[in-house]
Amino acid sequence: MKHTPLMRFQTLAQLLALCAAALLAGCGGGGGASPEATAQAQTPPPPRYLPQIGADEDALQELARAFENSAEYMPRTSDKNGRMTQPSRQLAQINAAMAYARGATGKDEIVAVSDSGFHTDVRYKELEGKIVYLGPGPGPGASLVLQHGANVASLIAARRDGGGGIGNMHGVAFEAKLALRKTILHGFRADLRFVTEKENKDIVRDMINLDYARDHGAAIVNFSFEATSRNYIHEYPEKGVLKRLQYAVDYLAQKNTPDADKIMVVWGAGNKSQDSPNTFAGIGVHFPELREHVLVVAAVDQKGKIAEFSNRCGVAEAFCLAAPGEDMALPAFRWQGYGQTRRGTSYSAPMVSGGLALLRQYFRDPVTNERQLGNTELVERLLTTAYRGKVHEGTPDEVDYSDSEIYGRGLMDLDAATKPYCSTGSEEDCMSTSLSDDPNAQPFNPAAFSLSGNAFGGAMRDALGGVKIAAFDELDAPFFFPLADGVSHAPQISAGHSDTLHEHEVALGGAANASLALSLAAGELSAARIRRGNLWFSYGHHGGREAGLYFGDDGGISVANFGMNFSAENSAENVANAARHFRAPLAFASPYLSLVRDGPGLGWSQPLRSGARFGFSLMHGAPQFDHFANPGGARGLGALFDFRPNNTSLSLQAGAVREADGFLGARAQGNFGEISADTAFAGIGGDWAAMQNWRLLASAYLGHTKADTGDGMLRAADDIVSSAFSLGLARAGLARRGDWLGLRLSQPLRAESGAAHLRIPAGRTKYREVLHRQHKLELTPSGRNLQVEAEYRVPFAGGNLRAGLGFDRHANHDSARDLEGFLRLGFERRF
């Protein structure tokens, strides 16, 4: 029966349908996560509520705006009649919203407040459920302003949902808790040079008592009062004049307590417009042992300028900073009936106490919840990150926070305090995987793996999901980077892209000849080869593009057409070189030699007396997997032995590849350290005559990879077993002379088993010890990529018009990617 062109096309359509049906039915498979789990892993997580490198700044800004626009963001002040006046901007002045957006809320931190008293008749919702301790105060010592202590406490920790009060505000650390204790604000000698021993001990027992704070879990104590209102630290230029206070100083110094555990003390600078703080607040000027954990706070007004009433930082500038302290929005009291606005360093100090509570909660281990920064480190961080620039520049209201005599270390900035601190350069430039005092500290590099060829598919991304590496800024604060974000794929050219090639072969004399190909699209040398007899040398540079470049019909083994070479008598006019007509011609070649494809090669092919042929090739190049190229340009060595029995097109292959900087096309970078690999492989392939002038093509490969790791997080790797195969049908002269049709079903290189073992910096302790965790990185992808493709070419206008239709299932061996189709149209012409 004679076959018409239409019948031939019907047959081809049926063959393609069968391949597609097999693909849809779930041919292949693999270990790893389920499609649902993989899909879930691909869903972008919300912004981290923990220190994170490279967080989505747009998302953070959106969250910050939500806080700023809330009714409780200290929105307005009110007068004694409850009338709302101008907007309050205290939280905006210290950039609190960005800290909140990052997740700093002070949750479960306890701040102690020693103050004038906390009247039992004072009732307001903002502090309900927050007071873990309400202690009795010393002596009669009745307060003249009963609500002062409650106001101070509310600025630290009033709830966001306290609601109902006319002031309607929340505290800086709105999820913190409070330990409250009444203290005495008077009764001590005005001139501290003549304090008696009993008075010295009374100061400790009654005024600066820290024991109750420690007993109730508080790490911060707020002192919003002037203990000696007529004395200022600049009036005591020498340490000796305050020697009678040594008992109190020793108590404040907490000498037998590790720095990480010392209670942080925050003191208002005082309200007498003096050049320096009051004596007790500034006593660290003469006693350096206090400076690491005692802070002094000056007050600024709504415009950010030093408040008229506030003492300046002066000689205490090294441990002093500024915070809002004028027109403070305070909660309403039921017994009083209206909201309060107050001013004083009594209210700038709790802003800083709340800021310390935010930082203490923020810098904690994301797994164990343990503190990661010591208390003295938190104090230094708040001081170092304070804003020292200008505001309202060029106007009469200009403020320069670099004026240390006024503002000390600057204006508290909670945005800067909750992100990596770098004195110069970008975040990543100053980060390290260890602490600053470690002589072996390495710079932090977020790059993890780059993949070419995708033998591992999404396995690395899936295995690293939720795993984070800790990096430390210049102040040794830990920040976390999701390792899955560091897995990158080499760029993939779109399915419809192909270089236009010009290839020309010239005789060199005798039996030698050469061929040269130029990529007109790239404007560069793509490949060249010189051959003399059975010996050849070639060079290929594909620049990350699919070159589709093949040499001669001599049956030699070349870098561009590994392993699938056909005998000379089956020339291009038949289908002996059918493989090279496929859009992805290397589907039938050894995928392992694609690890060294992009570079020079030397080969020798020797016919034997029996008619068999033996070939040997050496290659030195970079990975080039069809559409993929190695972005780092890592190079390796490859060798191939090829034996073809007599009178057959069967090819038996064995070879080895040495990758100096990677394994199976995956390249470790950054803090993952160095990795190299040796791969031994074997393969079989060939083409055979099939029914009605069709030819069958087939190849299958199996490899074994052993990896060696160097310095870095990669500490060991299990041996990796990998595979690849292809099946194809091809025919020329199907509907007209010169046309060609090919069908292909293939599986690209895939890891079948293997794992890597990581030792990851995972944080630190508050005692400055870096923590590491072990993690096993499974390398078997979740899916098995199967590709089906049909391509038809027909002569047209001196060239070839081509059309292709194909399907990908589990592309890149990723089970989350189901069936994907593609259509290709193109025209090529050789000159």
Side-chain angles (χ1 to χ4, degrees):
M1 179 179 176
K2 184 177 180 180
H3 290 269
T4 65
L6 177 59
M7 294 176 66
R8 295 189 184 112
F9 280 118
Q10 288 175 337
T11 303
L12 299 174
Q14 291 171 354
L15 287 170
L16 180 58
L18 286 172
C19 292
L23 197 57
L24 287 164
C27 296
S34 67
E36 292 78 12
T38 307
Q40 184 177 11
Q42 287 182 318
T43 303
R48 278 287 308 279
Y49 275 19
L50 284 170
Q52 178 170 321
I53 302 168
D56 187 332
E57 284 298 317
D58 290 339
L60 289 175
Q61 291 285 353
E62 185 176 347
L63 283 173
R65 284 192 293 271
F67 279 102
E68 290 170 345
N69 294 330
S70 69
E72 296 177 310
Y73 194 72
M74 289 192 184
R76 290 184 179 277
T77 58
S78 58
D79 61 20
K80 66 180 181 179
N81 297 317
R83 292 189 296 266
M84 307 308 290
T85 59
Q86 78 276 10
S88 292
R89 295 179 294 182
Q90 286 86 13
L91 289 175
Q93 283 179 298
I94 60 175
N95 287 325
M98 284 300 290
Y100 299 152
R102 294 189 180 100
T105 64
K107 183 175 176 61
D108 296 331
E109 292 298 330
I110 299 174
V111 182
V113 178
S114 292
D115 214 287
S116 59
F118 307 89
H119 199 285
T120 56
D121 290 337
V122 175
R123 296 287 187 273
Y124 54 105
K125 294 182 178 180
E126 283 85 351
L127 294 184
E128 284 183 355
K130 283 182 165 286
I131 300 173
V132 299
Y133 172 76
L134 180 57
S143 170
L144 299 178
V145 186
L146 291 176
Q147 73 268 28
H148 184 277
N151 284 339
V152 168
S154 69
L155 285 172
I156 295 171
R159 291 196 327 239
R160 285 195 72 210
D161 59 351
I166 296 176
N168 196 33
M169 49 73 70
H170 67 71
V172 176
F174 53 81
E175 290 192 328
K177 296 182 180 180
L178 296 160
L180 310 177
R181 180 183 182 273
K182 179 182 176 182
T183 190
I184 292 179
L185 303 185
H186 55 82
F188 298 116
R189 192 180 298 272
D191 192 335
L192 296 178
R193 290 173 296 182
F194 305 106
V195 171
T196 67
E197 182 177 354
K198 180 181 182 303
E199 289 172 329
N200 200 344
K201 293 183 178 180
D202 286 344
I203 291 171
V204 171
R205 185 182 69 253
D206 297 336
M207 188 179 73
I208 60 172
N209 189 303
L210 304 181
D211 294 338
Y212 83 99
R214 184 177 291 106
D215 291 344
H216 293 89
I220 305 156
V221 176
N222 188 93
F223 292 136
S224 284
F225 52 79
E226 292 182 279
T228 52
S229 60
R230 288 175 290 172
N231 288 191
Y232 306 97
I233 192 63
H234 61 274
E235 297 175 351
Y236 299 93
E238 298 178 6
K239 176 180 177 179
V241 299
L242 296 178
K243 62 183 179 181
R244 289 177 180 270
L245 292 177
Q246 189 66 53
Y247 182 87
V249 169
D250 289 345
Y251 177 77
L252 275 176
Q254 307 168 68
K255 290 184 178 180
N256 295 323
T257 303
D259 285 350
D261 297 322
K262 287 182 178 177
I263 291 176
M264 298 170 277
V265 177
V266 181
W267 216 304
N271 300 327
K272 301 299 180 181
S273 305
Q274 294 293 314
D275 291 337
S276 291
N278 70 59
T279 306
F280 265 94
I283 201 168
V285 169
H286 297 310
F287 298 92
E289 59 267 38
L290 301 180
R291 297 177 195 170
E292 292 185 341
H293 61 282
V294 176
L295 276 171
V296 186
V297 187
V300 298
D301 60 21
Q302 286 273 22
K303 294 181 179 179
K305 190 174 183 178
I306 191 72
E308 180 182 355
F309 58 82
S310 176
N311 292 350
R312 280 58 172 160
C313 288
V315 295
E317 64 183 48
F319 53 99
C320 179
L321 77 168
E326 189 170 70
D327 296 329
M328 306 300 286
L330 299 172
F333 293 84
R334 288 182 181 176
W335 67 276
Q336 207 166 16
Y338 61 87
Q340 295 288 308
T341 58
R342 290 298 180 93
R343 63 182 221 165
T345 58
S346 286
Y347 305 114
S348 60
M351 299 290 281
V352 170
S353 295
L356 285 172
L358 291 182
L359 296 188
R360 194 164 189 264
Q361 166 259 324
Y362 185 58
F363 291 107
R364 59 185 177 186
D365 190 295
V367 176
T368 67
N369 209 36
E370 294 293 326
R371 313 298 176 189
Q372 297 201 79
L373 289 185
N375 290 344
T376 57
E377 290 181 284
L378 292 172
V379 169
E380 180 57 30
R381 185 170 192 85
L382 205 63
L383 291 169
T384 302
T385 59
Y387 182 65
R388 291 183 57 81
K390 295 180 179 181
V391 296
H392 311 305
E393 193 168 357
T395 73
D397 296 325
E398 178 175 303
V399 181
D400 185 358
Y401 291 113
S402 66
D403 189 339
S404 301
E405 291 186 359
I406 298 177
Y407 303 103
R409 301 285 287 273
L411 179 70
M412 183 172 70
D413 184 349
L414 294 179
D415 176 27
T418 52
K419 64 184 180 183
Y421 173 76
C422 299
S423 56
T424 59
S426 65
E427 290 180 4
E428 294 173 3
D429 291 337
C430 70
M431 306 296 283
S432 171
T433 56
S434 191
L435 304 185
S436 56
D437 55 3
D438 184 349
N440 299 315
Q442 297 294 320
F444 171 67
N445 186 339
F449 281 108
S450 64
L451 301 176
S452 297
N454 292 327
F456 306 107
M460 292 184 182
R461 179 205 63 214
D462 296 341
L464 292 173
V467 179
K468 298 172 180 65
I469 178 176
F472 305 93
D473 69 1
E474 288 184 10
L475 298 177
D476 291 337
F479 291 84
F480 299 91
F481 179 81
L483 281 180
D485 291 354
V487 178
S488 62
H489 295 274
Q492 184 173 14
I493 305 301
S494 65
H497 176 83
S498 179
D499 288 342
T500 301
L501 300 172
H502 176 76
E503 183 176 1
H504 184 64
E505 184 169 306
V506 296
L508 300 180
N513 58 45
S515 59
L516 174 69
L518 295 178
S519 167
L520 301 183
E524 61 183 15
L525 178 67
S526 285
R529 187 175 71 139
I530 299 175
R531 176 174 58 85
R532 180 177 178 85
N534 295 322
L535 184 67
W536 56 263
F537 171 80
S538 69
Y539 175 80
H541 176 63
H542 307 284
R545 296 176 173 84
E546 179 195 3
L549 177 62
Y550 320 107
F551 296 103
D553 297 322
D554 63 330
I557 304 168
S558 72
V559 176
N561 193 22
F562 304 119
M564 278 305 298
N565 298 283
F566 304 93
S567 57
E569 59 271 16
N570 294 323
S571 59
E573 61 191 14
N574 201 331
V575 289
N577 288 297
R580 64 185 63 180
H581 290 283
F582 277 105
R583 184 77 171 92
L586 295 185
F588 292 92
S590 169
Y592 300 99
L593 292 182
S594 289
L595 296 168
V596 290
R597 176 186 176 202
D598 206 1
L602 180 67
W604 171 66
S605 179
Q606 178 64 49
L608 304 178
R609 290 183 178 179
S610 64
R613 180 182 290 269
F614 172 81
F616 174 71
S617 300
L618 285 174
M619 280 76 55
H620 177 251
Q624 176 71 42
F625 290 88
D626 195 17
H627 298 297
F628 293 90
N630 187 333
R635 307 185 75 80
L637 292 170
L640 174 69
F641 295 89
D642 177 74
F643 177 72
R644 301 171 188 274
N646 186 27
N647 297 323
T648 71
S649 61
L650 185 66
S651 172
L652 303 175
Q653 302 167 28
V657 171
R658 169 70 176 176
E659 296 174 88
D661 190 14
F663 60 110
L664 291 185
R667 187 182 182 202
Q669 300 180 78
N671 300 119
F672 272 70
E674 299 176 354
I675 188 166
S676 59
D678 294 305
T679 298
F681 64 88
I684 184 172
D687 74 299
W688 299 269
M691 60 181 181
Q692 298 177 345
N693 297 321
W694 289 86
R695 293 195 67 86
L696 173 67
L697 301 91
S699 66
Y701 295 89
L702 190 68
H704 178 272
T705 301
K706 186 175 180 60
D708 294 321
T709 59
D711 295 335
M713 291 190 296
L714 272 173
R715 293 306 175 98
D718 299 340
D719 291 355
I720 302 164
V721 176
S722 54
S723 70
F725 68 83
S726 290
L727 295 172
L729 283 171
R731 180 172 175 175
L734 181 69
R736 55 176 293 184
R737 183 178 178 82
D739 72 351
W740 179 91
L741 179 76
L743 301 171
R744 174 176 60 89
L745 169 66
S746 63
Q747 176 217 289
L749 185 65
R750 179 185 187 270
E752 302 294 340
S753 65
H757 302 271
L758 309 179
R759 184 173 183 264
I760 304 170
R764 52 161 290 186
T765 69
K766 61 183 179 180
Y767 302 115
R768 302 183 60 80
E769 299 169 338
V770 176
L771 301 173
H772 292 84
R773 295 192 178 99
Q774 307 295 323
H775 185 77
K776 185 176 181 180
L777 180 62
E778 295 288 353
L779 299 177
T780 307
S782 61
R784 185 180 300 277
N785 185 197
L786 293 178
Q787 301 173 347
V788 170
E789 182 177 8
E791 183 172 334
Y792 179 69
R793 298 189 186 191
V794 61
F796 179 78
N800 284 312
L801 186 65
R802 69 186 184 193
L805 174 65
F807 298 93
D808 250 334
R809 183 175 185 269
H810 293 177
N812 296 337
H813 303 303
D814 188 343
S815 62
R817 299 178 65 175
D818 204 359
L819 197 65
E820 301 173 8
F822 55 87
L823 175 66
R824 297 189 179 109
L825 298 173
F827 175 75
E828 64 181 5
R829 182 174 180 180
R830 297 195 175 215
F831 301 92

